[in-house]
Each structure stands twice: as C-alpha cells, then as structure tokens.
C-alpha cells in the first residue's frame, strides 16, 4: 500500500509540475511517456484545454488531493456489493492501479460476478477521454443492461 501511495504522490507531483509550466512548454526528451501524453491532451484547445484550468499556468487549486493520501481507499473494496465496471487503457502508465484495485475488490468478495475490469488494447490514459473510436460503448451498454436493470 505504501508503494502504491508513493506512486500516486509521485504521479500527482509530476503532473502538477507539468501543468504549472508556461503554455509554450513542449515535451522534453526526458519526460516520461505519460507526461508527454498529458501535455498533448491538456494543451490542445480542441481536446482537454480550458482557460481557467491549472494547465494555463496562472494559478493553483485551493483544494487538493493531499488529504486523501492517508485514507486507505481500497481497504474495504472487497465488501462492495454493487456492480462495478473498471475501464482502463492497456498502455496507460496507471494501468497497474486498476489491476491491483480490481484484484483487491474481488478477493474474498461473494459479489464478484457483477465486477469487471475492461482493458482497452493499445490505449493510453488520455485516449479514453475523447477517442470515441476506441471507447467500447457496446460493452459498457451490455454491462449496464446486465447489472443495472431491475430483475
């Protein structure tokens, strides 16, 4: 768990460092691939850019994620009875987190039949934000129909 929290902290720090840079900042050769993908997405005015976002480099969030670092968010996930569909890009830097979270959620859970981890082949994290060609709408619809309708 400590390894996971450290990884998340490092991820958020890296992302924030990138997003407070000036708009002209380009991807550096030393940037990890996921940082380059975020820059490509969040700096693109047709995709993820918003003039009042942190990505503009003009401000900082008043609230943050730090308060969640000591919260064991996955500790009781194997008690979830409700249907859960986790969708993640296979090539996303954070795919390990969904795999670990899913494994923890179904471990010793008597309600594991309504849980699914759907990995999208060749997709990175930001591909699933707006790339309608790879988002598996048919599988999402089937999951909803199977698990979220009255029986």
């Amino acid at each position: 768990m400590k390894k996971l929290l450290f990884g998340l902290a490092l991820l958020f720090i890296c992302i924030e460092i990138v997003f407070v840079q000036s708009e002209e900042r380009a991807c550096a050769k030393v940037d990890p691939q996921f940082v380059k993908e975020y820059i490509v997405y969040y700096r693109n005015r047709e995709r993820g850019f918003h003039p009042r976002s942190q990505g503009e480099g003009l401000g900082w969030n008043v609230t943050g994620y730090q308060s969640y670092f000591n919260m064991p968010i996955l500790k009781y996930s194997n008690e979830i009875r409700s249907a859960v569909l986790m969708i993640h890009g296979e090539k996303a830097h954070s795919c390990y987190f969904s795999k670990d979270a899913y494994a923890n959620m179904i471990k010793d859970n008597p309600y594991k039949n309504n849980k699914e981890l759907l990995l999208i082949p060749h997709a990175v994290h930001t591909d699933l934000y707006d790339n309608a060609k790879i988002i598996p709408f048919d599988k999402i619809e089937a999951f909803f129909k199977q698990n979220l309708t009255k029986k």
Side-chain angles (χ1 to χ4, degrees):
M1 186 64 162
K2 288 180 183 179
K3 182 179 175 184
L4 173 66
L5 289 176
F6 176 76
L8 286 174
L10 187 58
L11 168 65
F12 288 128
I13 290 167
C14 289
I15 291 170
E16 286 187 346
I17 289 170
V18 168
F19 292 150
V20 298
Q21 302 294 324
S22 66
E23 188 173 339
E24 291 78 30
R25 183 196 190 284
C27 299
K29 289 183 180 180
V30 297
D31 284 338
Q33 183 60 36
F34 75 89
V35 172
K36 293 175 185 178
E37 293 159 2
Y38 283 158
I39 291 171
V40 167
Y41 178 81
Y42 286 105
R43 294 288 181 196
N44 184 328
R45 294 182 185 277
E46 301 298 317
R47 293 182 76 200
F49 178 84
H50 189 279
R52 292 189 313 268
S53 71
Q54 280 182 274
E56 185 64 16
L58 300 176
W60 201 256
N61 279 353
V62 175
T63 59
Y65 48 81
Q66 290 86 353
S67 61
Y68 294 110
F69 280 171
N70 290 324
M71 184 176 160
I73 57 176
L74 299 177
K75 186 171 184 176
Y76 301 105
S77 65
N78 64 345
E79 296 179 13
I80 297 174
R81 295 178 180 200
S82 304
V84 176
L85 174 61
M86 300 173 74
I87 303 173
H88 216 108
E90 171 193 47
K91 301 288 185 185
H93 71 282
S94 55
C95 189
Y96 76 92
F97 182 82
S98 286
K99 289 177 180 178
D100 291 350
Y102 178 76
N104 187 65
M105 181 174 51
I106 63 169
K107 182 181 177 186
D108 300 325
N109 188 335
Y111 302 96
K112 60 179 87 177
N113 291 339
N114 61 353
K115 316 279 186 282
E116 185 177 342
L117 172 60
L118 181 56
L119 298 177
I120 309 305
H122 312 294
V124 299
H125 191 86
T126 54
D127 286 338
L128 298 174
Y129 291 174
D130 63 349
N131 187 348
K133 293 178 183 176
I134 65 167
I135 297 172
F137 293 108
D138 56 334
K139 292 182 180 181
I140 296 169
E141 181 181 4
F143 182 86
F144 285 173
K145 285 181 178 177
Q146 180 180 347
N147 295 289
L148 302 179
T149 55
K150 292 185 179 183
K151 303 211 183 221

